[in-house]
Amino acid sequence: MMMICSVNRVKKNIAGQMIFNDLSIEIREGERLAFVGPNGCGKTTLMKMIVGTENCDQGNIAIKRGARIGYLEQIPKFEEGRTVSECLKKAFQPLLELEVEMKKLEQQMATEGDPERLNKVIGHYGELQQHYEEQGGYLIEAKINQVAQGLGIIGHLELPFERLSGGEQTKVGLAALLLTNPDLLLLDEPTNHLDMEAIEWLEDWLVQSENTVVMTSHDRQFLDKVVTKIYDLDDEEALPYHGNYSDYIVEREKRLLLAFAHYEEQQKKIKKMKATIKRLKEWGNRAKPPNAKFHRQAKSMEKALEKMEKLDRPQLEEDKMALSFQAEGRSGKDVIKLENLSFAYDNRAPLFVGVNLHLRYQERAAIIGPNGAGKSTLLKLILGELQPTEGRMNRGTQLNIGYLSQKTFEGRQDQRLIEAFREHVPVSEAEARHLLAQFLFYGADVFKKVQDLSGGERMRLRLAQFMHQDINLLILDEPTNHLDIPAREALEDALSAFNGTVLAVSHDRWFLNHCFHKIYYLDNQTMISYPGNYDYVKEKRSDN
């Protein structure tokens, strides 16, 4: 395969911190690869350097001549007043211009009276029409509808773009990008704002595409399905792994164990050399007169030891949140019970009708379904923030609820991080700093204002507060949003060990498969219960 992009010995420093040092990467045509690593390791920075919106301090990035690059911006930009359909048609601008020229020729053919000139116009029109057809001009509407249907924006095509929510606008940007069919497609967290149906549609699209795809993602299931190569951005460099995410995990473990074995072997050798040097010096000093030969041998060995390239001790475990939840007091046997519950906003059509849910002590249940089906609304009803239109809702006795909303942190935004933590956890400043360090907030990090925290930092702060509160029911709305993979793994381990009850809304299929044994599927105003994880639900729904 030919090279489409090469990153050559790149250095990048941001605010005094070295992000990349002598970084080199090869991207070949047709590859589907991902950059993985914890938040802050430089994944998005590297994407921007490839696009050209961020500069390298040293080194260079070479793109194949003539290659068209497409990059997914978080909030795309379109001309004001454009409908979604018009925004998507911009992906076919050359064909649209050809269409305008063809219409002019059609008008000319209808009015041209000179047979000779008419034949020339007809001939030119035929050439343009053939090119238009070969480039898929007659399939523009079908392609737009296919992508809009797959990403769940088919109902928004005639709406003005600026009236859409941020998540919907990002979907439109992704749709427009896919329709432009670039040679090198760069996707930064493409599954954000997508529900599971749209994610699975995007997976199939990318797998079947002939484009070269480079992405960042914390969605492990998505990485497993799509990518064929992974670059692990770690310690200012990029280490390549062939295969999908699961292959990467296995190979990375092997490499770490092998590196640790080499490190231990070298440490034994160093220890042995130091002992020999000490012994040679002792022998030289004991001799009468002192033996210079032993001292020369010791000196030679010391020089060899100094020249030896020392191996760093491999870190077998990534830095993860030290997260755990412990329910001090247990709740009643029946935690949440909804019977024939219906809800509608104002005088609008019902969001759902006749919903039933029974959550028992220590169960782990999740609510899934397409965006807009009412999942978050259902959680607000359970929390008592909204009242049902019809039906009954009973909450069990002795409940201590911890609720994690999608907004991640709804407290005062001008507070320092450590103040926000101590507001919920009454400990000294020194103890607070110690506890926050367990959530990867080190040094001056604890004095950041809440409003300046990233989404992942806000989520870690909220989880730190939860950990030190007496909670026996966790209600989580998209808890893995904004978390990197190590943080997601820490959350999964904590939930598995939690002795209370969990109810979550999520579109993270890996999380759903590993943490939940009961799934409620909410769609088309109804909810169905399944006694299994996400893969079980998918299998049962595909059978119907």
Side-chain angles (χ1 to χ4, degrees):
M1 290 186 291
M2 290 184 64
M3 194 87 68
I4 193 169
C5 174
S6 63
V7 178
N8 306 304
R9 308 195 70 173
V10 161
K11 289 189 178 183
K12 183 65 177 179
N13 187 298
I14 298 178
Q17 180 182 352
M18 184 65 77
I19 304 297
F20 301 125
N21 187 16
D22 207 31
L23 180 78
S24 293
I25 285 174
E26 294 182 348
I27 303 171
R28 300 187 177 274
E29 288 182 340
E31 284 186 327
R32 298 190 303 274
L33 62 88
F35 300 139
V36 304
N39 286 341
C41 72
K43 299 186 295 293
T44 297
T45 299
L46 180 54
M47 298 276 272
K48 288 179 177 178
M49 288 195 296
I50 292 173
V51 176
T53 57
E54 190 91 35
N55 295 322
C56 313
D57 295 336
Q58 282 186 31
N60 66 85
I61 296 177
I63 306 291
K64 181 183 174 184
R65 181 172 294 182
R68 294 173 301 118
I69 300 178
Y71 177 56
L72 177 64
E73 295 181 90
Q74 290 304 312
I75 298 295
K77 300 175 182 66
F78 293 104
E79 294 173 29
E80 196 171 339
R82 296 264 184 180
T83 65
V84 171
S85 179
E86 289 170 336
C87 293
L88 297 183
K89 281 183 178 177
K90 291 283 287 182
F92 302 96
Q93 191 61 37
L95 283 173
L96 295 178
E97 291 170 2
L98 194 58
E99 202 175 85
V100 170
E101 193 174 346
M102 286 169 61
K103 284 179 180 176
K104 287 179 181 177
L105 291 175
E106 287 170 4
Q107 292 173 353
Q108 194 174 341
M109 285 188 291
T111 57
E112 183 58 68
D114 185 302
E116 189 175 336
R117 281 201 294 265
L118 179 60
N119 284 336
K120 285 184 179 179
V121 173
I122 290 172
H124 184 39
Y125 181 83
E127 291 172 1
L128 294 186
Q129 188 179 41
Q130 182 180 352
H131 182 66
Y132 184 78
E133 185 175 357
E134 288 172 352
Q135 297 300 312
Y138 293 110
L139 300 174
I140 289 175
E141 293 294 337
K143 288 178 179 178
I144 287 174
N145 288 338
Q146 178 195 7
V147 173
Q149 183 74 49
L151 294 177
I153 53 173
I154 192 73
H156 303 329
L157 289 179
E158 300 312 314
L159 293 177
F161 175 76
E162 56 264 24
R163 276 183 50 192
L164 303 183
S165 68
E168 290 166 341
Q169 288 183 347
T170 303
K171 282 185 179 182
V172 174
L174 176 57
L177 183 59
L178 296 177
L179 289 168
T180 59
N181 196 31
D183 302 306
L184 178 57
L185 181 60
L186 298 166
L187 303 172
D188 194 357
E189 293 292 346
T191 60
N192 282 1
H193 307 295
L194 299 185
D195 56 29
M196 281 179 286
E197 289 182 1
I199 291 171
E200 289 174 352
W201 176 88
L202 179 60
E203 286 173 348
D204 292 337
W205 174 283
L206 294 174
V207 168
Q208 293 166 20
S209 167
E210 295 180 357
N211 306 96
T212 305
V213 182
V214 178
M215 71 176 73
T216 70
S217 181
H218 298 309
D219 187 329
R220 292 156 290 178
Q221 194 104 342
F222 186 74
L223 292 171
D224 245 7
K225 179 71 182 289
V226 176
V227 304
T228 55
K229 187 177 181 180
I230 284 176
Y231 275 102
D232 186 352
L233 303 187
D234 188 27
D235 292 333
E236 305 169 9
E237 60 180 0
L239 302 175
Y241 293 80
H242 292 279
N244 63 9
Y245 181 76
S246 293
D247 297 328
Y248 152 74
I249 291 296
V250 172
E251 181 61 24
R252 185 170 178 270
E253 184 74 14
K254 286 181 183 176
R255 291 189 195 182
L256 279 172
L257 292 175
L258 183 61
F260 193 76
H262 287 160
Y263 169 79
E264 287 198 312
E265 189 65 33
Q266 188 184 65
Q267 289 300 303
K268 288 178 185 176
K269 185 176 180 180
I270 290 171
K271 187 177 180 181
K272 190 174 180 180
M273 287 176 73
K274 285 180 176 178
T276 302
I277 291 167
K278 184 180 179 182
R279 192 162 55 248
L280 286 169
K281 286 180 177 179
E282 287 175 352
W283 289 348
N285 292 334
R286 281 180 197 163
K288 301 294 183 182
N291 192 323
K293 179 183 176 183
F294 287 132
H295 282 285
R296 283 196 301 272
Q297 288 177 339
K299 192 71 176 175
S300 175
M301 195 170 283
E302 281 178 332
K303 286 180 179 178
L305 189 57
E306 286 173 11
K307 289 179 181 178
M308 182 187 292
E309 189 175 336
K310 309 296 191 299
L311 299 174
D312 292 329
R313 180 186 174 93
Q315 187 177 343
L316 295 180
E317 291 291 332
E318 293 178 288
D319 284 339
K320 286 186 183 179
M321 297 185 294
L323 180 62
S324 66
F325 304 114
Q326 189 68 34
E328 297 297 332
R330 65 156 289 173
S331 66
K333 185 178 179 182
D334 293 323
V335 177
I336 303 289
K337 200 167 187 180
L338 310 181
E339 296 178 301
N340 295 316
L341 206 72
S342 301
F343 180 80
Y345 283 104
D346 301 326
N347 296 318
R348 293 183 239 170
L351 198 54
F352 42 78
V353 177
V355 161
N356 294 294
L357 178 148
H358 191 182
L359 185 65
R360 297 174 177 85
Y361 173 60
Q362 289 191 328
E363 276 191 328
R364 282 139 177 73
I367 303 169
I368 68 173
N371 290 344
K375 304 184 295 295
S376 295
T377 299
L378 192 56
L379 292 188
K380 289 178 181 178
L381 285 163
I382 290 169
L383 290 163
E385 294 179 12
L386 296 172
Q387 296 303 313
T389 310
E390 293 179 8
R392 295 178 57 193
M393 180 180 67
N394 292 313
R395 278 197 301 231
T397 58
Q398 299 174 303
L399 286 183
N400 295 320
I401 300 174
Y403 171 52
L404 187 68
S405 78
Q406 287 192 51
K407 293 180 180 177
T408 65
F409 194 87
E410 298 177 317
R412 282 176 48 199
Q413 300 299 299
D414 60 343
Q415 276 185 310
R416 303 286 181 187
L417 186 156
I418 193 167
E419 294 167 355
F421 177 73
R422 293 178 67 196
E423 197 171 81
H424 290 76
V425 184
V427 293
S428 68
E429 181 174 320
E431 180 63 13
R433 295 189 69 157
H434 171 71
L435 295 173
L436 287 168
Q438 297 175 21
F439 286 79
L440 313 184
F441 294 116
Y442 304 117
D445 288 347
V446 301
F447 299 114
K448 286 183 181 177
K449 287 191 175 181
V450 170
Q451 63 197 21
D452 297 326
L453 300 179
S454 67
E457 288 172 328
R458 286 167 178 253
M459 187 69 79
R460 282 191 275 126
L461 170 58
R462 195 77 184 99
L463 290 170
Q465 291 173 335
F466 276 1
M467 180 171 158
H468 297 281
Q469 294 171 3
D470 183 14
I471 293 169
N472 54 30
L473 170 61
L474 282 169
I475 297 181
L476 312 172
D477 195 355
E478 299 289 4
T480 61
N481 277 5
H482 309 294
L483 294 181
D484 58 20
I485 291 175
R488 292 181 185 207
E489 291 172 345
L491 176 61
E492 288 161 359
D493 291 343
L495 291 181
S496 297
F498 180 48
N499 59 341
T501 309
V502 182
L503 179 64
V505 165
S506 180
H507 68 263
D508 184 333
R509 295 159 297 166
W510 190 290
F511 176 65
L512 292 167
N513 276 330
H514 286 76
C515 292
F516 297 91
H517 48 71
K518 188 181 203 180
I519 303 285
Y520 290 94
Y521 193 96
L522 182 61
D523 190 21
N524 292 325
Q525 298 183 316
T526 61
M527 192 162 77
I528 302 171
S529 173
Y530 294 90
N533 63 9
Y534 174 75
D535 283 346
Y536 176 83
V537 174
K538 189 177 179 183
E539 180 185 342
K540 290 299 178 184
R541 289 184 66 81
S542 65
D543 290 342
N544 296 336

